[in-house]
Amino acid sequence: MNIVHDQAGLAAYHHGVFVPTMGALHAGHAALIRHARELAAPRRKPVVVSVFVNPTQFNEKSDFDRYPRTLEADAALCRQEGADCVFAPTAEVMYPKGVDVGVPSLPAVATEPGLEDAHRPGHFAGVCQVCKRLFELVRPALSVFGEKDWQQLQVVSTMVAGLGMPLKIVGMPTVREADGLAMSSRNVRLSLEERSRATALCRAMITAGRETDPEAGERAARSVLADEGITPEYAVIREAASLGALRRLQGGYPPARILVAARVGSTRLIDNAPWPGFRPPISA
């Protein structure tokens, strides 16, 4: 496996399967890389993992500054999981002086749902900017994203389709801890007491999944969170692709997700799951 820091070094790895990350890799990322390996093997294509902490998608500079930089450990995990290349560019490579690395037009799913777009203004502009730039440099045939950032997955998929990029976006179900907490690099910031309370996000989605009416599902989710003293930024059930209001159609509801965001202590966590009927293969 090679570690590449510039565009020239990527030439041997074009048209493969790509896993974009910001580093601080954990078991959830490892699962993404393994899935990428499975997708790449029949095509005999390389697997590329990027490690780049993108400054343009952070709302708070302090959050950007304290984001873990663990390239050596990240590279070791990538090697273990069968990646062929780690692309670890500098900010100068990603956003070179004199080069217009503009923000593409944002799709409606990035600006209208009132979810991450409302609570992290400017975030999806940064996501679209960095993803477009990475896709242009890496030139993958497929790119794998985790479903934990569901709105991001829909934003990137819609952006790629709108730009006509020759690329397929593949989503992979969220990887969870044994107690249901979605794996995230942010989990290390939780105290032991906060870590226990954070499982309420998964439990809220399980409880909402038992309801067949979206309003009842949302009330059930908020009740579970309130029992742990957690006030969500949102706990909603939406249409899965557009994240617009869920409307009943003849024969039932279209595919839907429950999406939750909340601060546990000072740590902001997000999660989502299919609705109704969410039953994770864990003991939450």
Side-chain angles (χ1 to χ4, degrees), residues 2-57:
N2 291 326
I3 301 177
V4 170
H5 298 284
D6 56 30
Q7 183 176 4
L10 288 171
Y13 303 102
H14 289 167
H15 312 301
V17 183
F18 178 42
V19 181
T21 83
M22 291 206 300
L25 304 186
H26 50 66
H29 294 104
L32 290 175
I33 299 167
R34 286 195 298 273
H35 188 50
R37 183 77 269 162
E38 293 168 358
L39 295 170
R43 301 170 173 83
R44 297 183 180 180
K45 295 297 184 180
V47 171
V48 179
V49 180
S50 66
V51 174
F52 177 65
V53 185
N54 178 39
T56 71
Q57 69 189 72

Side-chain angles (χ1 to χ4, degrees), residues 214-254:
E215 291 185 1
E218 291 176 355
R219 288 195 298 270
R222 289 193 291 267
S223 177
V224 171
L225 295 169
D227 286 345
E228 291 289 350
I230 297 172
T231 302
E233 291 180 355
Y234 56 80
V236 297
I237 296 170
R238 297 288 181 84
E239 193 275 329
S242 71
L243 296 181
L246 184 61
R247 295 181 174 85
R248 190 178 184 88
L249 305 176
Q250 186 175 2
Y253 292 105

Side-chain angles (χ1 to χ4, degrees), residues 71-96:
L71 180 58
E72 185 175 341
D74 294 342
L77 183 146
C78 290
R79 183 178 293 107
Q80 177 181 318
E81 299 301 338
D84 297 288
C85 171
V86 170
F87 179 42
T90 62
E92 290 72 26
V93 169
M94 291 296 295
Y95 305 119

Side-chain angles (χ1 to χ4, degrees), residues 140-165:
L142 302 171
S143 187
V144 181
F145 285 76
E147 291 184 354
K148 183 177 77 70
D149 297 315
W150 182 263
Q151 188 175 5
Q152 173 180 275
L153 175 60
Q154 305 314 307
V155 168
V156 173
S157 298
T158 307
M159 178 196 74
V160 164
L163 293 173
M165 303 184 85

Side-chain angles (χ1 to χ4, degrees), residues 264-276:
V264 181
S266 62
T267 304
R268 187 176 188 272
L269 302 174
I270 63 172
D271 206 346
N272 74 91
W275 179 89

